[in-house]
Amino acid sequence: MPRAARPLAEHYGDLVRASLIEARPAGLHTRQLVAATRLKKSQVVLGVRQIRDVAAAEHLTPIIYTRKDGYLFSDDPADWIEYEKRQFREILGRLTRMITGTLDPRLARYPDDEWARLAVAQLTGVRATLAQLTK
């Protein structure tokens, strides 16, 4: 019986993961991963996504990204926490802009809009939680 083909993203993830493990403790930027894996940039991006979605949890190797070092597998929990806080700050910024740029003006114009009021009420709680996680 022929073996079923693995999804391409899983294959790309394996190649990216192997390159990052080989580079440890250093990291690799996207262009370096392109060179190391001989994949296209879009394929490297899919590979990183596959690592984040599946492989990191399977192999217990959190992947982080820093501007200085690129993508890397760090064994230092302080690196993980700093990366997580940066991600939460980014999400908080996007959520805040959604509230102040879309929902607040909508409520100012239509104060009885039940859906917008519900959205603002719910998102205000999420916003407060994210603010705490970034500290």
Side-chain angles (χ1 to χ4, degrees):
M1 212 170 179
R3 204 175 93 151
R6 293 188 313 165
L8 288 177
E10 184 178 338
H11 175 69
Y12 301 154
D14 290 345
L15 292 173
V16 170
R17 185 175 178 282
S19 294
L20 290 173
I21 295 244
E22 190 173 308
R24 272 176 115 166
L28 296 173
H29 288 277
T30 302
R31 62 181 162 69
Q32 294 169 313
L33 282 168
V34 167
T37 60
R38 297 184 181 167
L39 296 172
K40 296 176 188 175
K41 182 180 176 183
S42 61
Q43 294 169 327
V44 167
V45 170
L46 287 173
V48 169
R49 186 176 300 153
Q50 194 275 340
I51 291 170
R52 289 193 190 284
D53 291 346
V54 179
E58 286 179 353
H59 299 284
L60 302 178
T61 51
I63 184 173
I64 63 171
Y65 178 85
T66 68
R67 192 175 288 227
K68 177 184 167 215
D69 299 317
Y71 294 100
L72 64 125
F73 293 120
S74 173
D75 290 325
D76 185 354
D79 291 341
W80 307 338
I81 292 168
E82 184 56 35
Y83 174 76
E84 291 159 358
K85 285 182 177 184
R86 278 195 322 268
Q87 294 301 303
F88 289 136
R89 276 192 294 274
E90 184 178 319
I91 294 165
L92 176 60
R94 291 181 68 192
L95 179 61
T96 299
R97 285 188 299 277
M98 174 64 184
I99 293 169
T100 60
T102 305
L103 290 169
D104 284 349
R106 179 175 165 182
L107 276 175
R109 194 168 182 182
Y110 302 103
D112 295 329
D113 186 328
E114 190 176 322
W115 189 90
R117 288 174 36 186
L118 173 66
V120 168
Q122 293 297 314
L123 293 177
T124 299
V126 173
R127 187 177 175 185
T129 300
L130 287 171
Q132 287 297 314
L133 290 171
T134 62
K135 294 180 180 179

